[in-house]
Amino acid sequence: MTGPTALPPPSARTRVRRFHQIASYDPQTVHAILDAMPLCHVGYVHNGTPIVTPTLQWRDGDRIFWHASSASRMIDSVLEQDVCVTVSLYDGLVMARSAFSYNINHRSVMIFGRPEKLSEAEKSEQLRNMVNKTIPGQWERLRPVTAQELKATTVLGMSITEASAKVRTGPPQDEGSDLDFPVWAGVIPVRMQVLPPEPDPQNLPGLVPPAEIASFHIG
C-alpha cells in the first residue's frame, strides 16, 4: 500500500479524510491517472438535481478537457458553477479475512473547479488533441471536420488545481487477530484488455489499420 503524500492538499475540499494514508496530491500522480483512463464522470447540479455524466476526458498540461453536445444540459449548468470530475481504474479485488477489511486496489482522481467554454480556435485544437491522444496522427488521416460539426460540439476545459488522488496497491490489511482465521486471503488482479482491431465490414478494399494503432492502451 502506498504511503502518505509528501505534498499538502491544495484546498480543504480536496483533503482525503477516509484512507488518507493512500492519498496523493502530487501532480505527477494525478496526471498519470488521467492519462491512463479516458473515461471520466462529471458531477454537477442541473435545476436543483445532482447529475453525473460520463464522457471522454483528456489532459493537456495542467488542464483537463471534455466535450459535449452544444445542446447538452450540462453546458449551461456547469459554466460559472463548481463541478467535480472523477476518473478511476479498478486494479484488483482485495479479499481479506474479514468482510470489513475487503477492499479494491485502485487508482482514482477527484478534481474540483469551474470549467470554461473554449473558443472556436482552441476547441479545434483540443478536439485534435483528443483524437491524436488515442491514436497518434489519426486526426490528420480522417475526413476533415465540417463547420456544422464544430458548431454542434462544445469543449470545456478546467485547471487541474484542486485535485487529489488515491492509490491502493498490495495485499489485504487484516487485523492481527484475524491472521489465524482459516480462510483464503489475497488479491485477484483486474486488468482492462485491449484486443486486436476489428475492421468495419464496409471498409473500402485494401485498407489496413495504421501502425500507430498498436500504441493504443488503457490503464
Side-chain angles (χ1 to χ4, degrees):
M1 185 181 297
T2 58
T5 178
L7 296 177
S11 67
R13 61 181 175 179
T14 57
R15 180 185 296 276
V16 175
R17 291 170 172 80
R18 290 285 295 159
F19 299 103
H20 60 85
Q21 69 274 16
I22 65 172
S24 174
Y25 308 103
D26 173 42
Q28 290 184 327
T29 301
V30 171
H31 293 175
I33 296 171
L34 295 178
D35 294 346
M37 171 52 68
L39 177 65
C40 74
H41 291 81
V42 183
Y44 55 98
V45 176
H46 175 73
N47 291 338
T49 299
I51 295 176
V52 178
T53 299
T55 186
L56 293 178
Q57 64 81 22
W58 64 98
R59 181 182 67 86
D60 187 5
D62 60 357
R63 297 177 74 195
I64 184 175
F65 300 90
W66 65 94
H67 68 85
S69 166
S70 295
S72 169
R73 61 187 174 183
M74 178 198 297
I75 307 303
D76 291 335
S77 299
V78 303
L79 295 178
E80 303 300 324
Q81 301 293 329
D82 287 342
V83 304
C84 179
V85 180
T86 60
V87 171
S88 59
L89 297 105
Y90 184 7
D91 292 327
L93 174 62
V94 182
M95 300 180 63
R97 296 165 180 83
S98 162
F100 284 89
S101 294
Y102 258 58
N103 212 322
I104 61 169
N105 284 341
H106 67 284
R107 291 162 285 162
S108 64
V109 164
M110 181 176 289
I111 309 171
F112 295 97
R114 293 194 170 191
E116 298 175 341
K117 184 177 178 180
L118 270 59
S119 67
E120 292 301 307
E122 193 176 13
K123 177 171 68 174
S124 297
E125 176 186 355
Q126 287 305 328
L127 289 173
R128 177 180 180 275
N129 280 345
M130 178 191 70
V131 172
N132 283 348
K133 279 179 178 291
T134 57
I135 306 294
Q138 187 68 1
W139 179 269
E140 288 72 24
R141 286 186 284 265
L142 298 175
R143 185 264 293 160
V145 298
T146 66
Q148 183 58 36
E149 287 171 333
L150 287 174
K151 181 179 179 182
T153 304
T154 295
V155 176
L156 299 167
M158 190 170 77
S159 173
I160 311 172
T161 302
E162 286 189 81
S164 62
K166 292 175 80 172
V167 179
R168 191 201 189 280
T169 61
Q173 299 292 311
D174 280 303
E175 297 291 336
S177 57
D178 289 336
L179 296 180
D180 291 332
F181 194 83
V183 65
W184 187 89
V187 176
I188 302 176
V190 175
R191 299 290 183 267
M192 183 173 288
Q193 184 180 9
V194 177
L195 300 175
E198 300 177 355
D200 184 344
Q202 300 183 80
N203 275 348
L204 296 176
L207 289 178
V208 296
E212 289 83 357
I213 204 169
S215 67
F216 178 75
H217 67 281
I218 291 178

